[in-house]
Amino acid sequence: MAEHQEKGRGRPGRKPSENAAPSSVQVLDRSLKLLELVAEAEGAVLTDLAEQSGMAPSTVHRLLTSLAQHGMVTHDGETGAWTIGVKAFEIGTAYLRFRKLGTISRPFLKQLMDECGETANIAIEDDGDVVFISQVESHAPMRAFFRPGRRGPIHASGIGKAILSTWTDERIGTLLAGRPLQHFTGKTRDSLPKLLGDIAEIRARGWSIDDEEHTLGMRCVAAPIFDEYGEAVAGISISGPAVRLPDEKIAAIGPLVQTVAETLTKAMGGRSKRP
């Protein structure tokens, strides 16, 4: 009886108008379903997509139009066919590239860890942060650890600064405009002039140093990895306790990290290009 009454009233706590209007989650679900259907076909017309999705043609047209505005699908005015757009292709290509990067980089990370005795990492740049995607840990009892998927501030990261060093000062300024550079330690480059001064040294040297700028007692050496267009899409690094990474060891490790980064770039079909 209670079940019957609940069905008659609709969902408790919601107005009739809310029940009638599709939620943003429902719209997203429907849009992704359409995107899948378009991707499966070489060219699908509106009526076919409506039939396959179970949605009204007017709904399908509205969602496809929105997807088209974001470059996810495209419409051929002559044939009426909907096909995958350039933006969807770019997203798929990025996924394949970073999945490929995580797989291809493993032996290079292991090589760095074996030769340096410290944890080797690889991370990408995403929306002004660095995101760690893979790591080979040192065997030492005290070592660096970065969980895959962890995000870090680009200005206080060896990999982050290595990537920034391949950008122009203007591009760096645009990225960081209006964003405070968080202060972590007394060594953090927490202003744009300080950061750009460090970046100039990295460009001349070819590899970066995180000198306890994010965490006291931890140092890092990193170099950028480039894609086929000469864009720095990632970086590779060695991280460890400062007591095991004095200046003389950093000076020896830097060129090694740079060489491994260049070799990994070539293995991915990339090419180096500096501003």
Side-chain angles (χ1 to χ4, degrees), residues 54-55 64-65 89 95 106 119-120 126 144 173 176 182 196 227 247 251 272 274-275:
M55 290 182 258
L64 287 173
T65 300
F89 175 77
Y95 168 76
R106 294 300 293 180
T119 297
D126 178 63
L176 301 177
Q182 188 174 349
L196 292 179
D227 65 11
D247 290 346
S272 175
R274 298 216 168 239

Side-chain angles (χ1 to χ4, degrees), residues 174-193:
T174 299
L175 172 72
L176 301 177
R179 295 176 53 168
L181 300 185
Q182 188 174 349
H183 179 90
F184 295 100
T185 77
K187 296 186 175 184
T188 306
R189 276 58 169 172
D190 54 5
S191 71
L192 188 57

Side-chain angles (χ1 to χ4, degrees), residues 136-172:
V136 171
E137 288 187 67
S138 165
H139 299 307
M142 184 171 64
R143 58 188 181 270
F145 176 73
F146 301 100
R147 182 182 69 255
R150 173 191 163 184
R151 303 181 77 89
I154 199 167
H155 72 286
S157 157
I159 288 178
K161 292 194 298 177
I163 293 173
L164 289 180
S165 73
T166 70
W167 297 9
T168 63
D169 286 357
E170 291 75 18
R171 183 177 175 186
I172 296 171

Side-chain angles (χ1 to χ4, degrees), residues 205-207 222-224 236 253-263 274:
R205 193 169 51 225
W207 42 273
I236 193 167
I253 287 176
L256 174 61
V257 173
Q258 183 181 15
T259 297
V260 171
E262 291 171 351
T263 306
R274 298 216 168 239

Side-chain angles (χ1 to χ4, degrees), residues 10-38:
R11 292 186 182 178
R14 299 188 67 180
K15 299 177 182 178
S17 60
E18 291 178 329
N19 289 325
S23 68
S24 57
V25 173
Q26 186 181 43
V27 170
L28 178 60
D29 287 341
R30 290 177 173 179
S31 298
L32 291 175
K33 176 62 178 177
L34 282 176
L35 196 58
E36 289 179 12
L37 292 173
V38 172

